[in-house]
Amino acid sequence: MKILVVGANGQIGKHLVSFIQETEGVTAKAMIRNDEQAAYFENLGAETVVVDLEKGIETIAIAAEDVDAIVFTAGSGPHTGKDKTIMVDLDGAVKTIEAAKKAGVKRFVMISSFDTRREAILSAPPSFAPYVAAKYYADEWLRQTELDYTIIHPGALTNNKGIGQVEVGVDLARGEVPREDVARVILACLENDATIGKEFQVIKGAKSVTEAIASI
Amino acid sequence: MKILVVGANGQIGKHLVSFIQETEGVTAKAMIRNDEQAAYFENLGAETVVVDLEKGIETIAIAAEDVDAIVFTAGSGPHTGKDKTIMVDLDGAVKTIEAAKKAGVKRFVMISSFDTRREAILSAPPSFAPYVAAKYYADEWLRQTELDYTIIHPGALTNNKGIGQVEVGVDLARGEVPREDVARVILACLENDATIGKEFQVIKGAKSVTEAIASI
């Protein structure tokens, strides 16, 4: 199974490509913004493809032509300019979804935000609300497709070393989760088709990733 | 026919409420952000209702309960902060659409941007692209509903005195149009059910508004 990682050069993306390359039966194709980002992935033995997510659907679709699954983990983050919030977190995600349809790639894993329900847009601090709104619309767009999607809603992301143990659920209390463990969760979803059509929150916890994902 | 004008205090909105109040058989309910904006509309004999578009759907739905049609002409404009672009131009529009459904108001007229096709997001200048994207997603949301919608795509808006003459079409060359004439076009759409389920561009031209709208 070859997996196109959109946003490979982000912190979750880098962990994910690394885990994929260590795993039997899966290989990664890292979608990156420019050639200077390629060396990290080439050292892991992963393929790379240079695509600017702010360009058209067609170039993303071409990058997706030979893959079996797509992971969208690109993100401007909540603290970039709000123009990037709509252009990357919303429109970049939707273009990737449309590219998946165009390329005939059914399996799609979306890295969303912890709470993207409509009420969360209202209750978010004003500076964070546009980011929640962008993720809300991207998730909604994906739900309306026929793709085999999984939507992952991680808690507050940290750069702490992963512990490989998480808690998953649909209405968890807010909590932290290391980016490294989110990457493990993504890979576990790709390896477990029971996660298709599902979405869940994830924070650090007491279950192994495999066990937690199997419980979904 | 009572018409809820969302964004009544904008320049198009003010012209529109004024035209509605001058017209037999229609009355306006001006949705405004705060009480200080009420006097202009009360002087025209229009109802007012104070709703913050950045709040929830429920308050908009309550404002819409006794109306027969909704016009969405609120807009942060392309030059406000990009946080407002997503919160007003996209999320404000979608909340108004959802409020229309909730309140059982079928007729909905959306004031969009001149070109909101996906390709227009790509070809727009970078500073304008987030606005086009916001309008693209709002229009798409409306098209997916069962509402009796009309989407109006005006050319470059000016504050010139309206001439009451326009050109309408689906792939016009870019051109200007006075806000006053856009307001006339909105009212003409509300008075002509043949515009339901349609969308069109409008710039200044040689036909009377009534004649132009009848040609759609």
Side-chain angles (χ1 to χ4, degrees), chain A residues 54-57 81-87 90-92 94-95 98 118 121-122 126 129-131 133-134 136-137 140-141, chain B residues 54-57 81-87 90-92 94-95 98 118 121-122 126 129-131 133-134 136-137 140-141:
Chain A
E54 296 193 49
K55 294 280 189 285
I57 291 166
K82 294 302 183 282
D83 52 334
K84 293 297 178 197
T85 301
I86 193 163
M87 298 312 284
L90 171 51
D91 202 43
V94 168
K95 287 189 291 190
E98 292 303 300
R118 161 143 303 286
I121 304 174
L122 273 185
Y131 177 73
Y136 166 81
Y137 285 102
E140 272 295 292
W141 194 280
Chain B
E54 297 193 47
K55 293 280 189 286
I57 291 166
K82 294 301 183 281
D83 52 336
K84 293 297 177 198
T85 302
I86 193 163
M87 298 312 284
L90 171 50
D91 203 42
V94 168
K95 287 190 290 191
E98 292 304 301
R118 162 143 300 287
I121 305 174
L122 273 184
Y131 177 74
Y136 166 81
Y137 285 104
E140 271 295 291
W141 193 280

Side-chain angles (χ1 to χ4, degrees), chain B residues 3-163:
Chain B
I3 299 152
L4 182 68
V5 180
V6 177
N9 202 52
Q11 296 182 74
I12 292 173
K14 282 183 164 177
H15 285 301
L16 177 60
V17 172
S18 171
F19 289 140
I20 290 172
Q21 291 306 112
E22 290 168 6
T23 305
E24 191 89 24
V26 285
T27 57
K29 186 172 182 180
M31 193 172 119
I32 51 180
R33 200 164 41 234
N34 57 58
D35 276 331
E36 291 91 81
Q37 299 174 338
Y40 172 87
F41 303 101
E42 285 164 1
N43 286 339
L44 293 170
E47 265 184 73
T48 59
V49 59
V50 175
V51 174
D52 181 351
L53 201 50
E54 297 193 47
K55 293 280 189 286
I57 291 166
E58 187 55 40
T59 49
I60 309 171
I62 291 168
E65 259 171 6
D66 63 341
V67 305
D68 306 289
I70 298 176
V71 174
F72 185 87
T73 183
S76 73
H79 303 298
T80 53
K82 294 301 183 281
D83 52 336
K84 293 297 177 198
T85 302
I86 193 163
M87 298 312 284
V88 176
D89 298 291
L90 171 50
D91 203 42
V94 168
K95 287 190 290 191
T96 305
I97 293 164
E98 292 304 301
K101 288 155 71 174
K102 206 175 174 95
V105 180
K106 290 282 283 180
R107 189 74 176 106
F108 198 103
V109 177
M110 171 74 94
I111 315 312
S112 180
S113 185
F114 185 70
D115 188 351
T116 60
R117 292 170 303 167
R118 162 143 300 287
E119 311 89 75
I121 305 174
L122 273 184
S123 59
S127 68
F128 192 63
Y131 177 74
V132 178
K135 299 302 270 182
Y136 166 81
Y137 285 104
D139 289 353
E140 271 295 291
W141 193 280
L142 181 55
R143 289 182 197 111
Q144 303 305 319
T145 67
E146 308 278 305
L147 296 179
D148 292 338
Y149 69 80
T150 304
I151 304 177
I152 301 174
H153 300 277
L157 299 166
T158 72
N159 289 331
N160 297 342
K161 178 108 196 80
I163 53 170

Side-chain angles (χ1 to χ4, degrees), chain A residues 79-127:
Chain A
H79 303 298
T80 53
K82 294 302 183 282
D83 52 334
K84 293 297 178 197
T85 301
I86 193 163
M87 298 312 284
V88 176
D89 298 291
L90 171 51
D91 202 43
V94 168
K95 287 189 291 190
T96 305
I97 293 164
E98 292 303 300
K101 287 155 71 174
K102 205 175 174 95
V105 180
K106 289 283 281 179
R107 189 73 175 107
F108 197 103
V109 177
M110 172 73 94
I111 314 313
S112 180
S113 185
F114 186 69
D115 188 349
T116 60
R117 292 170 304 166
R118 161 143 303 286
E119 311 87 77
I121 304 174
L122 273 185
S123 60
S127 69

